[in-house]
Each structure stands twice: as structure tokens, then as C-alpha cells.
Amino acid sequence: MMRAGARELIVAEYRITGLSPDVIAELVAEVGPLWHEQHQDRLTARPRRRAVGAGAKHKFVFVDRLLATLVSLRHGTTHDLLACWFGVGRSTIARAIGEVRPLLAQRGCTVAPGIRLRRRQRDRRWWRWMRIRTARWAGYRPSPRH
């Protein structure tokens, strides 16, 4: 869960998301109901033992999901960094971006043609080195082709 004031700082600072607070408010108003409807459909799509709404409540609310997606699209930050920033797990960030990004695309918010959202080659080499190093610390020796 985000600290008090962090969400307001992200919304207020243009350099973080690349959008003004008014545009972010419009996105929340337009995309929020679509996400909520999609979420409710997912909850009611399968047989349940407990009623919809029972259990733990979302601590990572839609506004935070939208902001994490916007920051990810603008800066290409890793999910680990966003997870630390928003106070949730990496898988939660990945799931949130996977849910919100198609909704933004439906609205017409897409990445400009010619821009590729991927890691730089240097980052890939670093992650490969780290994966091998971590495996060796754990006593596992990966095959040379990895």
C-alpha cells in the first residue's frame, strides 16, 4: 500500500507519468468503470464457495494500478522497482499492467509506432549474469547454453 501523499505526488508531477492531473482524472473516470466491470465479470465467471466480495479487499486500488501502468509505459521501469514503490508484490504489478494496458489501448492510448518496449541489450546481459550467479550460490550449475 502506498504511503500517504505518494499517489498525489505521482499525479502532480508531470515528469513521472507524462500526463497532467486533469488527463489522469479523465482516464480514471473513463477506464475505471471498464476495469471494475471486467473485474466483476472475472469474479462471477466461475463457481464459488463464498459470495463475491467476501475475503480480503484490494489494497492496490484501480488508481494505483493505472499509475503503475503509466509509469511503466513512460519509463520502462522494471516490475520489481514498481513493486517496491507501490508496496505490493512483483506479480501484482505484472497482473495490474496486464489488466490496465488493454483498457488503455481500447481508449486509444497506445505506444507510438516505432517505439519498442523492451529491455536494452545491456540489461539482458546483466539479468542473465545475475541468474547464473544466483543459481551458483544455490549450488546449481546451469548448462553452458543458458
Side-chain angles (χ1 to χ4, degrees):
M1 185 164 37
M2 291 186 71
R3 291 189 332 251
R7 183 182 303 129
E8 290 78 15
L9 176 67
I10 293 170
V11 170
E13 184 57 51
Y14 177 82
R15 291 177 293 177
I16 296 175
T17 61
L19 301 172
S20 68
D22 295 334
V23 173
I24 293 174
E26 287 176 21
L27 283 174
V28 169
E30 290 180 30
V31 179
L34 295 174
W35 177 83
H36 183 70
E37 180 182 322
Q38 185 182 52
H39 179 67
Q40 290 301 318
D41 290 345
R42 216 174 18 253
L43 288 176
T44 58
R46 61 182 174 85
R48 305 179 61 89
R49 288 186 177 181
R50 295 189 294 172
V52 173
K57 304 298 179 222
H58 283 293
K59 292 181 180 172
F60 194 49
V61 296
F62 173 73
V63 176
D64 296 340
R65 291 169 186 264
L66 177 66
L67 292 174
T69 303
L70 293 173
V71 171
S72 174
L73 289 172
R74 171 130 170 118
H75 298 288
T77 55
T78 64
H79 293 176
D80 288 325
L81 177 66
L82 289 172
C84 291
W85 201 8
F86 285 92
V88 295
R90 184 173 49 112
S91 61
T92 303
I93 293 290
R95 187 171 47 250
I97 292 172
E99 292 171 356
V100 174
R101 191 169 174 185
L103 296 174
L104 290 174
Q106 286 176 4
R107 187 188 178 274
C109 301
T110 58
V111 176
I115 296 176
R116 297 184 65 192
L117 296 176
R118 63 180 183 88
R119 290 187 194 147
R120 296 185 309 258
Q121 185 66 28
R122 184 182 69 207
D123 294 339
R124 283 194 213 154
R125 285 192 302 258
W126 185 85
W127 281 109
R128 182 177 179 274
W129 177 84
M130 194 61 172
R131 186 178 69 226
I132 291 170
R133 177 68 54 160
T134 305
R136 286 183 182 154
W137 288 333
Y140 171 73
R141 307 272 295 164
S143 63
R145 62 189 159 113
H146 285 104

